Coordinates of all heavy atoms in Angstrom, one line a residue:
P4 N 17.0 6.4 9.9 CA 18.0 5.5 10.4 C 17.4 4.2 10.7 O 16.2 4.1 11.1 CB 18.4 6.3 11.7 CG 18.0 7.7 11.6 CD 16.9 7.7 10.7
E23 N 8.3 -8.9 9.0 CA 9.6 -9.4 8.6 C 10.4 -8.2 7.9 O 9.7 -7.5 7.1 CB 9.5 -10.6 7.7 CG 9.8 -10.4 6.3 CD 9.6 -11.7 5.5 OE1 8.6 -12.4 5.6 OE2 10.4 -11.9 4.6
E26 N 14.7 -5.5 2.5 CA 15.8 -4.6 2.2 C 15.7 -3.2 2.8 O 16.5 -2.9 3.6 CB 15.8 -4.4 0.7 CG 16.3 -5.7 -0.1 CD 16.2 -5.5 -1.6 OE1 16.3 -4.3 -2.0 OE2 16.0 -6.5 -2.3
Q32 N 2.3 -9.1 7.7 CA 1.3 -10.1 7.3 C 0.1 -9.8 8.2 O 0.2 -9.7 9.4 CB 1.8 -11.5 7.6 CG 0.8 -12.6 7.2 CD 0.8 -12.8 5.6 OE1 1.8 -12.6 5.0 NE2 -0.4 -13.0 5.1
G34 N -3.7 -11.1 8.2 CA -4.7 -12.0 7.6 C -4.1 -12.5 6.2 O -3.0 -13.0 6.2
E43 N 10.9 6.9 6.3 CA 12.0 7.8 6.0 C 11.9 9.0 6.9 O 10.8 9.4 7.3 CB 12.0 8.2 4.6 CG 10.8 8.9 4.1 CD 10.7 9.2 2.6 OE1 10.7 8.3 1.9 OE2 10.8 10.4 2.3
E64 N -4.0 -1.8 -20.6 CA -4.3 -0.4 -21.0 C -5.6 -0.2 -21.7 O -6.2 0.9 -21.6 CB -3.1 0.1 -21.8 CG -2.9 -0.5 -23.2 CD -1.7 0.0 -23.9 OE1 -1.4 1.2 -23.8 OE2 -1.0 -0.8 -24.5
L71 N -10.1 3.7 -14.4 CA -9.8 4.9 -13.7 C -11.0 5.6 -13.2 O -11.0 6.2 -12.1 CB -9.0 5.9 -14.7 CG -7.5 5.4 -15.0 CD1 -7.0 6.3 -16.1 CD2 -6.7 5.5 -13.7
L86 N -6.3 4.1 -3.9 CA -6.0 3.1 -4.9 C -5.2 3.8 -6.0 O -5.6 4.9 -6.4 CB -7.2 2.4 -5.4 CG -8.0 1.6 -4.5 CD1 -9.3 1.2 -5.1 CD2 -7.3 0.4 -3.9
D89 N 0.2 1.1 -10.9 CA 1.7 1.1 -11.2 C 1.9 0.3 -12.4 O 1.4 -0.9 -12.5 CB 2.4 0.5 -10.0 CG 2.9 1.5 -9.0 OD1 2.6 2.7 -9.2 OD2 3.6 1.0 -8.1
D95 N 13.1 -9.3 -16.5 CA 14.3 -9.1 -17.2 C 14.7 -10.1 -18.2 O 15.3 -9.9 -19.3 CB 15.5 -9.0 -16.2 CG 15.4 -7.7 -15.4 OD1 14.7 -6.7 -15.8 OD2 15.9 -7.7 -14.3
A106 N 0.4 -3.4 -19.0 CA -0.4 -3.9 -17.9 C 0.0 -3.0 -16.6 O 1.1 -2.5 -16.5 CB 0.0 -5.3 -17.6
S113 N -0.9 4.4 1.2 CA -1.2 5.4 2.3 C 0.1 5.9 2.8 O 1.2 5.3 2.8 CB -1.9 4.6 3.4 OG -2.3 5.5 4.4
V114 N 0.0 7.2 3.3 CA 1.2 7.8 3.9 C 0.7 8.4 5.3 O -0.3 8.9 5.4 CB 1.7 9.0 3.0 CG1 2.9 9.7 3.7 CG2 2.1 8.4 1.7
S154 N -16.0 -0.9 -13.0 CA -16.5 0.1 -13.9 C -17.4 1.1 -13.2 O -18.0 0.7 -12.2 CB -17.1 -0.5 -15.0 OG -18.3 -1.2 -14.6
A155 N -17.5 2.3 -13.7 CA -18.3 3.3 -13.0 C -19.7 3.1 -13.4 O -20.1 2.7 -14.5 CB -17.9 4.7 -13.3

Side-chain angles (χ1 to χ4, degrees):
E23 107 185 44
E26 291 176 25
Q32 185 74 35
E43 61 186 66
E64 65 183 322
L71 289 172
L86 298 171
D89 266 2
D95 289 338
S113 186
V114 177
S154 62

